[in-house]
Amino acid sequence: GDKGVRAIEPPASGPPGPCTSTTCAAALAAAGSADYVVGGKILVAERNYELTLELHDGRDGRVMATRSASCPI
């Protein structure tokens, strides 16, 4: 099968806003026939940025790994 990386739009029938639940991550994986889903968020506080990424298992949506990094500007 296709082992490339691609962006998958959340389904219009889903909840508004970012996909933050295990149910949403599993649904995205199923919609895109993906083994894994990467999600993230960026927090901005004045001149500081913090990026957090989560790797979700595509079968059940559970978080397999989380990484955060900050960048003061």
Side-chain angles (χ1 to χ4, degrees):
D2 181 13
K3 298 292 181 185
V5 175
R6 61 190 171 276
I8 303 169
E9 289 292 327
S13 61
C19 181
T20 57
S21 70
T22 57
T23 303
C24 181
L28 280 177
S33 300
D35 294 326
Y36 304 97
V37 173
V38 176
K41 63 182 174 182
I42 299 173
L43 297 176
V44 180
E46 296 182 18
R47 295 177 51 97
N48 297 311
Y49 293 79
E50 182 173 4
L51 171 66
T52 301
L53 296 176
E54 294 181 335
L55 176 67
H56 296 264
D57 185 302
R59 293 171 296 192
D60 58 15
R62 71 182 166 86
V63 176
M64 299 174 63
T66 301
R67 295 291 183 263
S68 293
S70 59
C71 177
I73 296 181

